[in-house]
Each structure stands twice: as C-alpha cells, then as structure tokens.
Amino acid sequence: MTLAARISRLGTESAFTVLARAEALRAAGRSVINLGIGQPDFATPDHVVEAAVRALHDGHHGYTPANGILPLREAVAADLAARQGVEIDPDCVLIVPGGKVTMFFAILMAGEPGAEILYPDPGFPIYRSAIEFSGATPVPIPLREETGFAFSADEVLSRITPATRLLIVNSPGNPTGGVVPRAEIDRLAAGLEAHPQVTILSDEIYSRLIYSGEPHTCLLAYPAIRDRVILLDGWSKSYAMTGWRLGYGVWPAAWVEGATRLAINSFSCVNAASQWAGIVALEGPQGSVEEMRIAFDERRRVILAALNKLPGVSCVEPWGAFYAMPNITGTGMTAREAEYRLLEEAGVATIAGTSFGEHGEGHLRFSYAASLDDIAEAMTRIEALLAC
Ligand code: PLP
C-alpha cells in the first residue's frame, strides 16, 4: 500500500488530541477541567433545534443544491447587510459543513508549488496544514503580544511577493483572542490595492464575540478589495452549533464555481435539516447570541485577572473570541512542558502555544468557554502546581 506523499504533509489540530487525552484521564477516574477545546459550553437555542426537528418532519430528507438552499443563502446575505452593511449576491454564498471547509477550499484553490500563502502565527493550525498539503510555501505573519496579537499592516505588506496568492487574516483571532484595530485593517486594505495578485481569506468566525464595544470590521466592506475577498463565517461559535457542521463562505464571483465543484466532489451538500435551522438562527431572536457574549465577557475578566496573579505568568487582554494566551516563560517551562504538566499533574487541559505555530512558544492557550466554577478551580490547581 502506498500513500500519496501529500498526505504526510497534513498537520492536525492538537485540541482534538488533548481532548482525547482528557477524556481518557476522566475515564480512568481523574478529575479533568477542560480549558482546551474551543467550543461554547452552551446549548444551541431551542428555537433553532425546533426548526431542525420541523424540517425533518416536513420531509427535508434529500439532497439540497450543492451550494446550499436559496433561502439560507438569502438569509446570509440579509444578515451581512444588516450587521456589516455589505451587499452580497446570494449566488456567491457557498454553504459548507462548518467554517473549516471554506478555508480548506480557499487554500486548495490558491495553493500549488511555487505559490506563497501568508498566514497568522500563532494561528489556527489548519491554515498551515492545508497550505503545506496544497504544495504552496507557507509564509508566517508573526503576531506579537506587545500589539495585543494584532498584525502590523506594514509587516504583512512587506511579506508580499509576486508569488503571493493568498493572505489569510483572522480577527478576532484563535488562539490569541486578539482583535486587529480598525485603523490597521484600513491600512492593510489600502496597501493591498498595490498587490492585485493577492486574494484575501478573511476568517471572521468570531465576529460576534468582541468585548471592547468596537464594532467588527468586515473585510468585504472595503470596495477596493472586496472582489478579492473570501469571507469565512458560520454558525458554530455564534449560535453554539459546533456539532451541526454548518458554515459558509462568500466567494469572489470568479471563484465560486470552482469552490462549488470542490463541494460536489467531496460532500455534495450540507444536511438539509441543519440548513433550515440555520435560517431560523439568522432570522430569529438574537438574544442568545448576546447572552453568550456577555457570559464569555465575564469569564474573560475573571480568567485574565487570575492568570495575571499566577507566578511567572502574564497575559495581555484578549478582546475577542473566547481564548486567552498568557506568556508562561517566567515559569521556566516550555509551552509543551506546561501543557503536559498542567494536564497530567493538575488535571487542567490547555493547549501549548506551539500547536499554533513557532511564534506561540512561551505561551499557552486557555479557552474560557467553561463555567466560572471550572475556571476558578483550574486556576487554584495551576497555582498549586506552580508553587511546587
Ligand atoms: N476558524 C477559526 C479561527 C476557528 O477557531 C475555527 C474553529 O475552532 C474554525 C474556523 C472552524 O469552525 P468550524 O467548527 O465551524 O469548522
């Protein structure tokens, strides 16, 4: 049996490995607090669940169009118009099973040997994995804690070459919780006008989880570059629907046909009941989205204060998503050692910063999508471990 060489270039997402280890420890009777996995600890709102059940009773059991049902694509367009003030054509929307699929397709469509793709480091690990899989050269954009893990537009622009095909941006960001200030995005968008060969993948999956009071900046709102922007968003984080596998991409008109063919060649269409529920999520009451955001904000403040009290640990304020990325160099441990010891000795699952790229060394990612009690207990356990 011989595997194609590109398979050996695929990376992975350590959050799932840590989750499996945490479950194994639990199964062996250990108490484990999971601050590793990045998913809301809330249930999907009832009215959305009911919509899916109704769709099944109404007989939505078959294939749908590969790009998604029209009412859902129209609901996405209406939502973007209402929230971001951007007008899009529902025919440029491709409904996919989760946010990840848009990034995989975009990277496959842009990447090949000889092409360069810029991506954030530390950043969502699938960016680099998919870039290497595609054969393109990954070019990291370092994100630094001095700037709250926001990129510098000048630094991004300075890394663009004639071979650059795709630029990946992610604000609010995983794993850092960093939010790029509007002025920096303005500068990036203006600078990109000089580089028409570059398509931009804007991963805005955490756009509804911002705590600064500032509105989210959508890259589709920049007329000079909008016909080169692929917008990635979905239902997973905003509506606590990670297990439903429902996401979307808004594609440049010239790319949507290729992306749809990738869909037809891989998953055919997203399950129909999820799609009908997705409409109700977007069009129904939005109270639960705000309730979750407020709950995350409270946990964010609690974990930030607690992390900054730990010896050898300091954490810049995360302004979005549900992650905190403290610097742990003062503990004397590497990121990987800290991840290991916190899980095995203290029963607290976190993710080493190096799982998100080499610039994540010296850091750990904490997901605060956990109860206040769990956060408090985790901090007590870590404090005890660090005191030894
Ligand atoms: N983009 C980022 C930055 C993420 O953190 C995640 C999930 O953690 C995704 C995309 C993928 O979301 P989904 O679970 O909808 O595939």
Side-chain angles (χ1 to χ4, degrees):
M1 290 196 297
T2 308
L3 275 175
R6 64 178 172 277
I7 297 299
S8 66
R9 297 199 301 267
L10 273 174
T12 187
E13 206 187 329
S14 319
F16 287 102
T17 317
V18 172
L19 179 65
R21 179 67 189 146
E23 292 304 330
L25 287 171
R26 269 188 193 142
R30 291 274 307 276
S31 149
V32 178
I33 298 171
N34 195 345
L35 304 184
I37 195 82
Q39 69 176 336
D41 57 325
F42 293 94
T44 304
D46 280 347
H47 64 283
V48 179
V49 174
E50 279 156 21
V53 173
R54 203 162 49 243
L56 289 171
H57 283 307
D58 287 351
H60 293 291
H61 303 164
Y63 294 122
T64 75
N67 58 344
I69 55 176
L70 180 59
L72 180 57
R73 289 182 287 111
E74 287 174 339
V76 166
D79 176 59
L80 284 171
R83 280 194 302 118
Q84 305 295 339
V86 297
E87 299 295 326
I88 57 145
D89 180 350
D91 285 344
C92 287
V93 176
L94 178 64
I95 304 296
V96 283
K100 246 180 197 172
V101 180
T102 299
M103 92 183 53
F104 195 60
F105 284 5
I107 293 168
L108 282 191
M109 287 175 73
E112 61 185 339
E116 293 173 4
I117 300 183
L118 274 68
Y119 70 100
D121 179 347
F124 191 53
I126 301 306
Y127 301 144
R128 187 181 174 112
S129 165
I131 295 167
E132 288 187 335
F133 181 72
S134 78
T137 305
V139 181
I141 303 164
L143 303 182
R144 301 190 174 82
E145 65 187 312
E146 302 86 82
T147 52
F149 295 109
F151 59 69
S152 134
D154 289 342
E155 197 167 6
V156 175
L157 294 166
S158 73
R159 283 175 162 71
I160 293 178
T161 73
T164 307
R165 289 264 183 91
L166 189 68
L167 161 64
I168 303 174
V169 293
N170 172 219
S171 177
N174 178 7
T176 64
V179 176
V180 182
R182 175 161 196 130
E184 214 52 39
I185 298 185
D186 288 352
R187 233 193 327 275
L188 179 70
L192 283 170
E193 287 185 53
H195 303 286
Q197 81 282 16
V198 179
T199 300
I200 303 107
L201 170 63
S202 186
D203 182 342
E204 301 183 17
I205 197 116
Y206 297 103
S207 63
R208 300 187 73 175
L209 291 173
I210 296 182
Y211 310 105
S212 60
E214 297 288 310
H216 171 66
T217 309
C218 177
L219 279 220
L220 282 174
Y222 293 85
I225 56 163
R226 65 158 292 166
D227 60 355
R228 293 189 268 143
V229 170
I230 302 163
L231 172 69
L232 180 163
D233 204 340
W235 287 256
S236 296
K237 317 288 176 174
S238 307
Y239 297 97
M241 290 176 72
T242 49
W244 294 66
R245 308 316 298 141
L246 189 63
Y248 69 82
V250 180
W251 291 81
W255 285 41
V256 70
E257 170 62 22
T260 307
R261 285 191 182 205
L262 282 171
I264 292 170
N265 276 271
S266 49
F267 58 84
S268 296
C269 64
V270 174
N271 83 76
S274 277
Q275 293 193 53
W276 287 100
I279 299 174
V280 172
L282 292 178
E283 293 181 346
Q286 300 298 302
S288 57
V289 180
E290 184 56 9
E291 277 164 28
M292 275 194 280
R293 196 192 64 81
I294 291 169
F296 287 140
D297 192 15
E298 185 183 5
R299 298 163 185 196
R300 181 183 74 94
R301 290 162 204 256
V302 167
I303 200 166
L304 180 68
L307 286 168
N308 276 316
K309 281 196 197 124
L310 292 174
V313 176
S314 64
C315 189
V316 295
E317 184 152 14
W319 289 107
F322 35 60
Y323 307 111
M325 186 86 167
N327 184 322
I328 53 136
T329 46
T331 65
M333 288 187 275
T334 65
R336 197 59 73 197
E337 273 168 355
E339 175 195 279
Y340 180 83
R341 291 194 58 199
L342 262 59
L343 181 56
E344 303 292 330
E345 296 173 28
V348 179
T350 61
I351 313 282
T354 40
S355 296
F356 305 95
E358 64 181 48
H359 292 276
E361 186 49 281
H363 294 80
L364 275 183
R365 187 191 80 172
F366 286 74
S367 162
Y368 52 82
S371 70
L372 284 169
D373 285 348
D374 275 359
I375 292 171
E377 171 63 16
M379 293 300 135
T380 305
R381 292 183 186 188
I382 297 170
E383 198 176 0
L385 178 84
L386 293 177
C388 292

